[in-house]
Amino acid sequence: MAAPSAGVSCEDFSEFQETLRAMRTIDDRIVHELNTTIPTVSFAGKVDATQTCKQLYESLIAAHRSREYAIKNCIAQTSTVVNKLRDERLKDADDLALIKQLRKEQTKLKLMQSELNVEEVVNDRSLKIFNERCRIHYKPPKSP
């Protein structure tokens, strides 16, 4: 599972956010994807809607897991940096550059943690739309 997040940089928050935005393409385009792949009643015989919905669901879930892994991985990396900087600050409380770097990393950590909330909203929205359009064609397995 590490491969999908290999391109996610945790150093620069703007780059991190841009990478997530690109990874969310499947969620951003779900309505279009459903409109172009799930047949209307008149075309129902020409496309296997069950298979199409199943493939789309599996792609969605894989994308959600990949993004969650990437976000949590960056949170863990940034937390490690914050803890290291805190330890250094305890040794030298007067180092202004160190204090500034610590604040910067703490802010980045909070922003990354807020991305987990954004991710939850994006995932819920996508799954709701998926269920509205695919519920009669495909029933996803229950999450454990």
Side-chain angles (χ1 to χ4, degrees):
M1 192 182 279
S5 65
V8 177
S9 170
C10 302
E11 301 301 315
D12 177 18
F13 183 74
S14 295
E15 188 178 331
F16 167 78
Q17 218 172 15
E18 192 59 39
T19 304
L20 283 179
R21 189 173 298 122
M23 292 173 78
R24 288 181 177 136
T25 301
I26 188 171
D27 293 270
D28 294 340
R29 296 186 179 158
I30 188 161
V31 172
H32 178 265
E33 186 71 23
L34 287 166
N35 286 342
T36 58
T37 58
I38 304 304
T40 59
V41 176
S42 60
F43 292 100
K46 298 183 177 144
V47 176
D48 182 359
T50 301
Q51 188 61 28
T52 303
C53 285
K54 181 180 180 189
Q55 288 172 346
L56 181 58
Y57 178 78
E58 289 169 354
S59 295
L60 269 176
I61 296 304
H64 294 176
R65 285 185 182 139
S66 174
R67 291 193 310 261
E68 181 180 6
Y69 177 81
I71 294 168
K72 287 183 177 180
N73 183 43
C74 283
I75 288 172
Q77 284 182 29
T78 306
S79 292
T80 301
V81 171
V82 166
N83 289 335
K84 182 177 150 254
L85 290 170
R86 280 185 183 147
D87 290 344
E88 289 178 26
R89 188 187 68 190
L90 289 175
K91 295 174 190 166
D92 185 7
D94 297 329
D95 186 350
L96 292 176
L98 180 65
I99 292 169
K100 185 177 178 182
Q101 181 65 26
L102 176 59
R103 285 187 186 142
K104 180 182 171 196
E105 291 297 320
Q106 287 173 325
T107 300
K108 183 169 71 170
L109 179 58
K110 287 176 187 168
L111 291 170
M112 287 179 173
Q113 289 168 334
S114 73
E115 281 298 323
L116 280 176
N117 296 330
V118 171
E119 188 64 22
E120 185 179 346
V121 170
V122 168
N123 294 354
D124 288 348
R125 176 190 166 271
S126 295
L127 290 173
K128 181 180 180 225
I129 293 168
F130 172 85
N131 287 327
E132 286 172 1
R133 289 295 304 274
C134 281
R135 69 177 172 258
I136 60 173
H137 303 293
Y138 176 72
K139 299 269 191 265
K142 297 288 182 207
S143 299

